[in-house]
Amino acid sequence: MQGLTPIRKRMILFWGLAMGVVVLAYGPVLTAEYGYIDDYEFLLAAKRGLFGPLSLDLASGGRPLVGPILDFLCGWCGTIHGLWLMRAITLAGLSFLSTAIFAALRAGGWGLAVSTGCALGTVLGPGCAVYAAWATCAAMAYGAVLAL
C-alpha cells in the first residue's frame, strides 16, 4: 500500500474489516439456495425477455434504474441456484456503505470508536438484514452509498 495517503489506507483497512463483519453476519445467504417471491418473478421475466413491464412498475415507484439493473443481474444469475451471486453483490455493497458512513463520520470530526460503531451498526441492523437476504435488493446499498 505504498503511495497511498494515510486516509486512503485507513479506508481500505476499514473496508476489509466491514467486509469481514458483513460476511460473518450474513454469510449463510451465500450458501443457502432459496428465493423469495420477487426473485421468482424477476428471474422468470428476465428469462423470457419480458422485464419491460416490471421496469416500468419499478420506475413508477421512484426507482427508474432498479429495473434495468435487476434485468441484467437476473439474466446473469439465471436460476435460483445463481441468486447467491446477487446476494454477494449486496454484501459487497453493504461493506461499501459501511465504509462510506465511516468516512463521512470521520470527516465530520467523530472519533474512531464512535465512527466504527455507527458504521458497522448501521449495516448490521434489521433493514440491512433484509437487503442481504433478498437478492432483488442487490442495488439498494449502492444507492445509499451514492446518497451519502
Side-chain angles (χ1 to χ4, degrees):
M1 293 205 295
Q2 286 183 342
L4 293 176
T5 65
I7 293 172
R8 288 182 191 235
K9 285 180 186 177
R10 188 177 305 137
M11 292 304 108
I12 291 169
L13 291 173
F14 185 84
W15 180 80
L17 170 69
M19 191 65 184
V21 168
V22 165
V23 168
L24 184 64
Y26 302 126
V29 303
L30 300 176
T31 58
E33 289 188 1
Y34 67 93
Y36 289 103
I37 190 136
D38 289 350
D39 300 332
Y40 291 102
E41 179 183 8
F42 291 160
L43 283 171
L44 184 62
K47 189 172 193 152
R48 293 184 177 173
L50 302 172
F51 215 91
L54 287 174
S55 289
L56 290 175
D57 187 43
L58 291 167
S60 69
R63 299 174 286 173
L65 298 178
V66 172
I69 291 169
L70 287 178
D71 186 17
F72 169 76
L73 290 175
C74 288
W76 179 56
C77 291
T79 67
I80 294 296
H81 306 294
L83 286 180
W84 73 272
L85 295 167
M86 287 175 69
R87 292 190 286 268
I89 290 168
T90 303
L91 297 189
L94 289 174
S95 67
F96 286 128
L97 175 60
S98 184
T99 304
I101 292 169
F102 175 79
L105 291 173
R106 292 294 288 158
W110 290 82
L112 180 64
V114 172
S115 298
T116 301
C118 288
L120 292 176
T122 300
V123 299
L124 295 175
C128 289
V130 171
Y131 290 165
W134 288 359
T136 54
C137 291
M140 303 300 181
Y142 297 97
V145 170
L146 293 175
L148 286 175

